[in-house]
Amino acid sequence: MTRPLICLFILLSATTPAISQGNELIGEVVVRGNKAVSEALIVNIIGSKVGQVYQPTQLARDKQALENTNQFQDVKVYGQLLDNGRWRVVVEVVEWEVITAIRVEGNTVVPTEMITGALRNRVGQVFNPNVLEQDARGVSELYRRQGYFARVTEYEPLMEDPSILKVTVTEASIERVEITGLTRTRPGVVRRAIDTEENQILNFTQLQEDLKRLADTRWFEEIRPDVIDSEDSLGKVVVKIDLKETRTGSFNVGLQLDPKNRLAGLFTLNDSNFNGTGKSVGVNLLQSAQGLGTSITLDYGDPFVDRKRTSLNASIFSRETLVFGSSLFGSEGGPLGRFSQRMTGGNLMFSSVADRITRYFYGFEAQHINTRDFVVDPGEEFVFQDGFTAGLNLGITRNRRDFNQDPARGDWLRVSVEPNFSNITSVGGQNVGFDSLGQRLYLRTSIDYRVYSSSEKPRTIEEFDEPRKVLAFRAFAATIVGEPPFFEQYFVGGSGGVRGYDEDRFWGKHALLFQLEYRHPIQKAFNVIGFVDWGGAWSGYPGIRTFTQSNKLNMNLGYGIGVNFKTPFGPIRLDVGINKEGKAKTHFLIGGSF
């Protein structure tokens, strides 16, 4: 008897809720407030359907589903109990407006059209709040690609007119530039070297160029830049440049070996940052131990003559050097033995900024030439041409190298035009076979292109002097219109041209030279270099004894291996070149190659 009662109780308990819920079914679904979005679409999205059991928890899920469509700025879903015991589900929506205009504010360096083009919200479309974060990142990336930094600080429809979308861009502007670490260099000199200054929009490309320019001065051992947000102003940044100065002055007394003097006593006093002013001064005195006279050069330079960074370089000189040079371990003076010329004069050169990578230069040089120790055979008197020359030097350079002193990437181009005048008053020998006396006009033109590449990672400002494996290539072409004096021709051969041959081995009115080097660092200040040179000069004055010349294009091959040392008074180079006949020649020079 007890068991049937228990079963009846269980049955009644199971069926009673169903009967109760059966009276709480959804009788209708009403949609209000929609304009562009159809009622059918809204009803299809929600889970509450006519004929289903009314569940308040489902209404919350319906509201979330409609909000997830990003079609509505406000959604309400609620139930109303009808007189017949059924439920009405009411969906009230406020749609986002169709965008009729996009108003961009705060942009000064990036055009409005570029900013609106980076947005996913477009005119003619319903505003979509789901893309706000992506769009903000896209605008910041647009600025970054152009070297700037900016944030989207406001991105929403206007309250008074929701069909207008407002985008406010806050560009990072410079509150101040802090230069620290200086003990000798005057702060104003550093500020003249950089374009980054207060109240500008921060431009990382410009800042990088400024830091590179500071590195190229060689006034600093370390350059540590930083950009931090201002503590006082939103959208403002502080640019910090911490500098560690290096030694810029040098005093040297010793011996020098080079092809133009062979062995000479050396006295130099130079400073590339004289008294912290950024100006360079130099006195170079050379006394040959091979019977040549004393050579002296006085140099002056100012890299920042004006606020446009026009540079000035001037020299006064009286130098006596070997013609055709000499070999470090061989005979001197080529086929004529020891033979020298003294050149006394001066030059003045200006260089002005055209744009970030381009400069144009203009200046002049004048000098008097006096030949010494020349014993000429008949027909060779053209080598001895003493007198006066003067000329202008006009041209343009394009510099895209990473660092000027020791480039690992980029290229460099120089185009030069030099109108010249000469007045030759004395010639050698009996003047039998060649008359070069008198006044002449001639035009020298040249183009010099150099390119550098490295498989290693690019150097940063903090490691601008770190060594890199570098493949370097140079192409040089030049020509002369008119009849120049012998010493004003183009000379190719030896340490400055095709290695493996005598100094100034080939000459003429036309020259062509190609050089390829692979530079492998062993230590920070020591490189091993493999090289191939191919070049020549032709169509000039006749040959001299064993130095035969050509009247047409004549190219010569040289190759070999060398070493390069970086020293406080400049790089030192020692090359062993092999010519096309398989003979080796050693070349020693203070200075780099290219």
Side-chain angles (χ1 to χ4, degrees), residues 343-470:
M343 297 185 177
T344 303
N347 57 58
L348 181 67
M349 182 68 68
F350 292 91
S351 175
S352 299
V353 175
D355 57 38
R356 185 176 60 85
I357 61 173
T358 309
R359 297 181 72 96
Y360 53 91
F361 56 88
Y362 45 96
F364 72 91
E365 181 175 74
Q367 59 184 351
H368 184 271
I369 295 89
N370 183 33
T371 306
R372 293 189 58 202
D373 299 325
F374 179 70
V375 178
V376 64
D377 289 341
E380 297 173 348
E381 58 276 354
F382 59 84
V383 181
F384 179 177
Q385 298 182 22
D386 288 351
F388 174 80
T389 66
L392 300 177
N393 193 343
L394 312 172
I396 190 170
T397 60
R398 187 194 67 189
N399 186 0
R400 298 188 294 194
R401 297 175 294 188
D402 54 353
F403 295 99
N404 292 338
Q405 303 297 330
D406 184 19
R409 280 180 167 79
D411 63 357
W412 180 88
L413 174 68
R414 182 180 190 270
V415 179
S416 176
V417 178
E418 303 172 45
N420 284 269
F421 164 82
S422 68
N423 182 23
I424 302 302
T425 57
S426 177
V427 298
Q430 300 175 8
N431 194 24
V432 174
F434 203 94
D435 185 6
S436 55
L437 286 169
Q439 300 177 356
R440 296 183 180 182
L441 294 174
Y442 53 98
L443 179 69
R444 294 161 52 99
T445 59
S446 64
I447 182 170
D448 194 347
Y449 178 70
R450 307 170 185 187
V451 62
Y452 310 85
S453 64
S454 176
S455 59
E456 300 182 272
K457 68 176 184 177
R459 291 179 294 192
T460 64
I461 289 297
E462 291 85 349
E463 54 184 22
F464 63 87
D465 60 346
E466 288 297 314
R468 289 290 186 270
K469 300 174 184 177
V470 178

Side-chain angles (χ1 to χ4, degrees), residues 48 55-67 77-78:
S48 298
Q55 299 181 28
T57 55
Q58 179 61 42
L59 302 186
R61 291 193 291 270
D62 292 343
K63 181 177 185 297
Q64 186 64 50
L66 291 172
E67 289 177 342
V77 182
Y78 57 90

Side-chain angles (χ1 to χ4, degrees), residues 235-526:
K236 295 279 189 177
V237 296
V238 177
V239 176
K240 294 186 175 183
I241 304 176
D242 185 39
L243 302 169
K244 182 180 179 182
E245 294 173 308
T246 190
R247 176 184 174 186
T248 59
S250 64
F251 171 73
N252 297 295
V253 176
L255 294 177
Q256 173 177 304
L257 291 168
D258 69 47
K260 295 298 184 180
N261 289 276
R262 192 164 173 80
L263 178 63
L266 175 71
F267 170 86
T268 65
L269 183 61
N270 297 282
D271 195 340
S272 62
N273 187 11
F274 179 68
N275 200 28
T277 63
K279 297 178 175 63
S280 61
V281 295
V283 178
N284 295 272
L285 188 67
L286 205 65
Q287 178 58 58
S288 174
Q290 306 296 310
L292 302 182
T294 302
S295 295
I296 185 169
T297 303
L298 304 178
D299 295 315
Y300 173 81
D302 185 349
F304 313 123
V305 174
D306 54 28
R307 292 189 176 275
K308 296 181 180 180
R309 280 197 299 277
T310 299
S311 66
L312 163 68
N313 289 281
S315 294
I316 299 174
F317 55 83
S318 179
R319 298 187 289 255
E320 185 170 352
T321 58
L322 292 171
V323 180
F324 302 121
S326 65
S327 170
L328 181 61
F329 302 111
S331 62
E332 56 185 4
L336 298 180
R338 194 164 65 89
F339 159 40
S340 68
Q341 283 182 330
R342 176 169 292 277
M343 297 185 177
T344 303
N347 57 58
L348 181 67
M349 182 68 68
F350 292 91
S351 175
S352 299
V353 175
D355 57 38
R356 185 176 60 85
I357 61 173
T358 309
R359 297 181 72 96
Y360 53 91
F361 56 88
Y362 45 96
F364 72 91
E365 181 175 74
Q367 59 184 351
H368 184 271
I369 295 89
N370 183 33
T371 306
R372 293 189 58 202
D373 299 325
F374 179 70
V375 178
V376 64
D377 289 341
E380 297 173 348
E381 58 276 354
F382 59 84
V383 181
F384 179 177
Q385 298 182 22
D386 288 351
F388 174 80
T389 66
L392 300 177
N393 193 343
L394 312 172
I396 190 170
T397 60
R398 187 194 67 189
N399 186 0
R400 298 188 294 194
R401 297 175 294 188
D402 54 353
F403 295 99
N404 292 338
Q405 303 297 330
D406 184 19
R409 280 180 167 79
D411 63 357
W412 180 88
L413 174 68
R414 182 180 190 270
V415 179
S416 176
V417 178
E418 303 172 45
N420 284 269
F421 164 82
S422 68
N423 182 23
I424 302 302
T425 57
S426 177
V427 298
Q430 300 175 8
N431 194 24
V432 174
F434 203 94
D435 185 6
S436 55
L437 286 169
Q439 300 177 356
R440 296 183 180 182
L441 294 174
Y442 53 98
L443 179 69
R444 294 161 52 99
T445 59
S446 64
I447 182 170
D448 194 347
Y449 178 70
R450 307 170 185 187
V451 62
Y452 310 85
S453 64
S454 176
S455 59
E456 300 182 272
K457 68 176 184 177
R459 291 179 294 192
T460 64
I461 289 297
E462 291 85 349
E463 54 184 22
F464 63 87
D465 60 346
E466 288 297 314
R468 289 290 186 270
K469 300 174 184 177
V470 178
L471 188 65
F473 173 76
R474 179 193 183 199
F476 174 82
T479 188
I480 299 175
V481 177
E483 295 299 328
F486 176 77
F487 52 83
E488 283 282 83
Q489 297 178 109
Y490 292 107
F491 290 84
V492 175
S495 58
V498 186
R499 285 160 283 192
Y501 297 82
D502 290 312
E503 298 296 322
D504 302 331
R505 170 62 183 84
F506 309 102
W507 62 76
K509 293 168 60 177
H510 313 296
L512 188 61
L513 173 65
F514 300 99
Q515 295 179 288
L516 181 67
E517 290 188 355
Y518 172 68
R519 302 166 182 174
H520 189 94
I522 303 300
Q523 296 177 344
K524 188 172 184 178
F526 176 48

